Amino acid sequence: MNKPIIEMRDIRKTYETGALKVEVLKGISLTVENGEFISIIGASGSGKSTLMNIMGCLDTCTSGEYILDSKDINSYSEKELATIRSEKIGFIFQKFNLLSKMSAYENVELPLLYKGIEKKERKRRVLESLEIVGLDDRQDHRPTELSGGQQQRVAIARAIAGKPPLILADEPTGNLDSKSTEDIMNILLDLNKSGTPLVLITHDNDIAKLASRIIRISDGQIIKD
Amino acid sequence: MNIATILRLSLKEIIANKLRSILTMLGVIIGVFSIIVLVSIGEGASANIKKEISKETNLIKVEMFPNDEEKQMDYDRVLGFYKKLDIKNISPILDQQPQAKYKKIEKNISLKGVDHTYGTMINAKLKSGRFIAALDVDYRKKVVVINEKAVKTFFKDEYPIGKDIKINGDDYSVVGIIANREVSMYERLSEELIAPITTVQRNFGVKSINKVHIKVNDKEKVILISQKIEEALKKFYNTKKNKVSNEDGVDDEYEGYQFNDQFYVYTPEKEMKQVQKMTRTFSLMLGGIAGISLLVGGIGIMNIMFVSVTERTREIGIRKALGAQRKNILIQFLIESGVVSGMGGILGIGLGILSNFLIGKFSPLKPVLNIKVMLIAFTFSVAVGIIFGIYPANKAAKLKPIDALRYE
């Protein structure tokens, strides 16, 4: 009964710069079951970020089939993709990507505003998400007033506030020290335990090992699953 | 995404970049400021003139400048001319623009030679002393009534009554002071000196009268009587029929001044129409100036919005990754440029109000500010911001999320 959250078949991505054609993804097929925690590991330039961008509907593939939460999104327009990003996906970035002029509260609230959730419910969810990451006492702080680890926790709160069926994390601990890394990974593991499927991209073997499934990518292809 | 939140965020953005925001607003500030001040001055002036004209709703003014010496009218001929028309209550005037001198102060002034009827004719407000009397006229007395402006110019702190002021070589004794009045919309408030008409005639060696004021007791008859005078003057000067007829064959003279070689007949109605026409022209001109400066302001805003879009490419990428639709980004940037220009508008209005106050206090002008102009100026400035914001905002909205996120 539990349908897979991600089904990818023979995904290819080619970048064209002038006469030069570079195939970054050379036919990736991948299924992520609901509730699964997988990590995608690979060296830089292996194509793992491109794969994540396609998974996150930030980019489209050149060819192949991508079904996200039972929706075939290959044919989707830009507007529909924006809706998918809003409804289905929570992003966590390596560089946190918080808006520096907004407080932690406002940053977490932002995706909910785009989703059109009404005010009372918004407030409830923002506070709940901040509590999950343990920052409910920092809601009025600006990103610059927070440590790296705290910023990433705000970003996680932002990713989960909309209760998306999928969370994508692109090197979430890449800019953090070992203590913060441990905190962040614990939060992510807890999230996964409560049922949210998690796709984590990393080049760090130790981090990758925390996942129930490790996919190794090299030169645009899956070499180990 | 609700509007209040976007407004709050754009205000934050504006405050965070104070200097840049103010420089961006400068064009709009100057545009709106100049509209407010110029329109207020114009309105003030025309309100003043209208007030003056409406005081004289039953006054007809005739000016004569005959080409032919034969046709010049002296005092008695004028009286006779109007008596024949059965028009009473007339006041002949001889206008001169000589220099007047008191002690070391010399200045060009407006001298009116009048008879004893003139004071009531123009409803002159006597501040002190007396007006020109019939005896003054009969005996060609060298007396003069001056307005407050002339008091200020010539006498400063001295008490003028009883002092002698020199006009065209003769000494005139000041007997009265009247309040200033707007003479007409083309004349600035000037030093006005009023003397017996006979004295002026002799002093300047001029017999002919160049102005006549006629008071009509029944306001309804002003037009009728002015037509009667015009007809009679045409006949007198033997001018050809010079009428402009519209399609209905109706005389079109009263649309404005009927230009005629040798005379004008002014009625309050005509003057009012003329003032309105001038005010309209003036407003149109101001609209043009304001339009240009707002246009320049708009270009400034567009320029800065482009910079802002580029600077915030990454922010746009983040917003898009979080689910923002194109329209969310578009509206955000449109509101930002609208807020920038709207704030410029408010600042411009504020500056305008302030300088209106200062102008009213420290100059003879009395600016009148109406709310309508403020609202129009404000709406216009916001509209300029939004219109010039469309292009940059659209550029922002069209950014691809992946490209925007990668932007450093």
Side-chain angles (χ1 to χ4, degrees):
Chain A
M1 59 142 281
N2 230 349
K3 281 185 184 162
I5 182 81
I6 288 175
E7 280 180 273
M8 285 181 149
R9 272 179 224 114
D10 198 26
I11 295 283
R12 284 167 193 277
K13 179 73 183 177
T14 312
Y15 286 109
E16 279 181 62
T17 38
L20 205 68
K21 269 191 182 179
V22 184
E23 197 170 36
V24 183
L25 296 181
K26 298 169 179 170
I28 299 250
S29 298
L30 177 67
T31 306
V32 180
E33 300 297 334
N34 219 336
E36 215 176 357
F37 176 9
I38 71 166
S39 41
I40 297 173
I41 189 165
S44 60
S46 59
K48 60 184 194 303
S49 285
T50 306
L51 180 61
M52 155 127 175
N53 288 335
I54 291 171
M55 270 185 189
C57 301
L58 292 170
D59 206 354
T60 48
C61 56
T62 316
S63 72
E65 195 183 5
Y66 178 22
I67 295 164
L68 173 66
D69 201 16
S70 314
K71 289 193 171 60
D72 180 0
I73 63 155
N74 276 31
S75 55
Y76 275 25
S77 68
E78 202 208 294
K79 190 179 165 181
E80 289 165 320
L81 287 177
T83 309
I84 290 283
R85 288 196 293 272
S86 176
E87 301 284 329
K88 304 284 181 199
I89 298 160
F91 280 103
I92 300 164
F93 302 93
Q94 180 179 3
K95 289 176 184 167
F96 322 138
N97 280 345
L98 298 172
L99 297 186
S100 59
K101 283 177 182 125
M102 295 182 171
S103 67
Y105 183 96
E106 289 167 322
N107 265 290
V108 177
E109 191 184 26
L110 199 58
L112 302 178
L113 287 168
Y114 288 132
K115 254 182 142 170
I117 290 168
E118 58 103 28
K119 197 174 174 186
K120 237 172 109 184
E121 173 68 5
R122 232 160 47 211
K123 185 169 182 184
R124 199 184 63 75
R125 288 216 208 165
V126 172
L127 294 179
E128 186 189 68
S129 307
L130 282 170
E131 207 183 314
I132 290 173
V133 299
L135 283 177
D136 38 337
D137 55 340
R138 298 290 162 91
Q139 45 175 299
D140 295 326
H141 288 235
R142 297 278 185 90
T144 45
E145 298 160 350
L146 298 170
S147 72
Q150 287 170 327
Q151 288 187 51
Q152 193 59 299
R153 274 145 72 187
V154 173
I156 292 172
R158 181 176 68 181
I160 62 176
K163 298 198 192 309
L166 173 66
I167 288 184
L168 297 177
D170 186 1
E171 305 256 18
T173 56
N175 284 12
L176 300 176
D177 59 36
S178 55
K179 173 73 181 69
S180 299
T181 299
E182 208 187 310
D183 290 349
I184 295 295
M185 287 317 296
N186 282 334
I187 292 171
L188 290 178
L189 281 168
D190 284 346
L191 274 176
N192 180 242
K193 268 181 207 142
S194 58
T196 317
L198 185 65
V199 175
L200 182 125
I201 288 186
T202 183
H203 62 265
D204 184 336
N205 276 317
D206 293 338
I207 301 283
K209 272 181 207 154
L210 295 169
S212 49
R213 187 173 149 208
I214 300 170
I215 291 167
R216 195 169 289 273
I217 285 190
S218 178
D219 197 21
Q221 284 172 312
I222 296 178
I223 54 167
K224 196 182 161 200
D225 192 346
Chain B
M1 186 102 183
N2 65 19
I3 301 285
T5 314
I6 304 178
L7 271 175
R8 199 163 44 83
L9 290 181
S10 49
L11 278 175
K12 263 191 195 171
E13 195 70 34
I14 289 162
I15 291 163
N17 299 305
K18 263 184 234 82
L19 183 64
R20 182 207 279 183
S21 306
I22 286 175
L23 288 175
T24 311
M25 290 171 196
L26 207 55
V28 176
I29 293 175
I30 293 171
V32 169
F33 164 79
S34 46
I35 300 179
I36 297 287
V37 172
L38 294 176
V39 169
S40 305
I41 291 175
E43 294 255 332
S46 80
N48 213 344
I49 295 162
K50 280 178 187 163
K51 205 172 86 196
E52 285 300 321
I53 294 172
S54 63
K55 265 192 228 156
E56 302 177 339
T57 45
N58 52 354
L59 203 63
I60 299 172
K61 296 176 184 171
V62 179
E63 277 186 38
M64 298 168 290
F65 10 86
N67 303 330
D68 188 353
E69 232 171 277
E70 287 282 295
K71 299 288 184 187
Q72 289 184 348
M73 290 202 219
D74 63 10
Y75 187 76
D76 290 333
R77 205 167 171 188
V78 166
L79 292 183
F81 181 85
Y82 287 94
K83 198 172 180 187
K84 233 168 48 192
L85 292 175
D86 203 25
I87 294 169
K88 284 164 219 153
N89 262 337
I90 73 152
S91 192
I93 302 155
L94 173 53
D95 241 357
Q96 293 287 335
Q97 267 77 39
Q99 267 196 346
K101 191 180 172 191
Y102 179 73
K103 289 187 178 163
K104 283 198 172 131
I105 302 153
E106 239 178 308
K107 203 172 177 223
N108 282 321
I109 50 105
S110 155
L111 177 68
K112 284 192 172 66
V114 303
D115 66 12
H116 62 283
T117 61
Y118 188 67
T120 40
M121 183 66 70
I122 61 163
N123 284 325
K125 279 191 221 99
L126 206 57
K127 289 280 165 176
S128 66
R130 62 174 181 87
F131 206 75
I132 304 295
L135 275 177
D136 296 326
V137 180
D138 288 348
Y139 293 103
R140 293 189 185 126
K141 284 244 189 95
K142 284 177 189 157
V143 292
V144 68
V145 175
I146 67 179
N147 68 354
E148 288 174 312
K149 168 119 181 177
V151 173
K152 215 169 162 187
T153 306
F154 292 104
F155 295 98
K156 308 265 156 55
D157 299 328
E158 279 184 74
Y159 184 65
I161 291 188
K163 301 272 167 22
D164 283 350
I165 185 162
K166 204 180 258 309
I167 305 167
N168 204 29
D170 283 356
D171 281 330
Y172 287 68
S173 173
V174 177
V175 293
I177 298 166
I178 58 165
N180 292 331
R181 63 199 175 98
E182 293 289 331
V183 189
S184 85
M185 71 179 303
Y186 311 104
E187 267 177 278
R188 266 189 316 140
L189 175 66
S190 58
E191 290 83 1
E192 198 177 14
L193 277 67
I194 299 168
I197 192 160
T198 46
T199 320
V200 176
Q201 277 174 324
R202 172 185 276 184
N203 187 353
F204 288 84
V206 181
K207 282 249 176 282
S208 78
I209 305 299
N210 57 1
K211 279 182 186 167
V212 181
H213 285 188
I214 299 110
K215 197 173 229 165
V216 183
N217 288 330
D218 184 355
K219 276 183 197 169
E220 304 291 310
K221 287 189 177 155
V222 170
I223 291 179
L224 200 75
I225 291 174
S226 75
Q227 280 170 332
K228 198 165 149 190
I229 295 169
E230 223 162 279
E231 284 306 315
L233 283 169
K234 263 181 205 161
K235 212 183 271 168
F236 178 75
Y237 288 117
N238 211 3
T239 45
K240 283 177 203 126
K241 264 207 162 178
N242 194 12
K243 279 186 187 170
V244 188
S245 291
N246 58 22
E247 287 148 44
D248 320 319
V250 176
D251 199 343
D252 215 14
E253 269 171 69
Y254 294 95
E255 284 305 307
Y257 295 115
Q258 167 74 47
F259 179 75
N260 194 304
D261 271 331
Q262 314 198 43
F263 66 90
Y264 283 131
V265 177
Y266 301 80
T267 61
E269 202 191 351
K270 280 190 202 172
E271 281 193 88
M272 200 64 107
K273 273 189 180 147
Q274 192 68 8
V275 171
Q276 275 158 359
K277 210 167 153 188
M278 293 283 289
T279 313
R280 259 207 308 277
T281 316
F282 192 59
S283 305
L284 269 173
M285 218 173 67
L286 292 180
I289 295 169
I292 290 167
S293 50
L294 277 178
L295 189 79
V296 174
I299 292 167
I301 288 174
M302 182 152 76
N303 197 8
I304 288 299
M305 288 310 289
F306 272 125
V307 173
S308 177
V309 168
T310 309
E311 273 183 359
R312 290 158 66 193
T313 302
R314 203 178 165 79
E315 178 196 322
I316 295 161
I318 296 169
R319 287 174 180 275
K320 286 204 157 183
L322 297 179
Q325 297 278 359
R326 257 188 201 194
K327 65 163 198 249
N328 296 129
I329 305 289
L330 188 78
I331 290 171
Q332 183 191 342
F333 279 89
L334 284 185
I335 286 183
E336 275 194 36
S337 58
V339 167
V340 168
S341 61
M343 277 177 73
I346 289 172
L347 287 176
I349 289 171
L351 269 180
I353 291 172
L354 182 72
S355 46
N356 272 353
F357 172 75
L358 294 176
I359 289 169
K361 200 160 188 191
F362 297 110
S363 87
L365 297 168
K366 297 278 167 272
V368 175
L369 181 59
N370 68 41
I371 304 228
K372 210 171 90 188
V373 174
M374 288 200 288
L375 282 178
I376 290 173
F378 177 70
T379 315
F380 225 80
S381 59
V382 173
V384 160
I386 290 174
I387 289 165
F388 282 90
I390 288 174
Y391 191 28
N394 195 37
K395 189 187 160 193
K398 275 189 352 206
L399 283 172
K400 282 207 172 115
I402 184 70
D403 296 336
L405 263 179
R406 278 210 200 106
Y407 187 87
E408 292 293 329

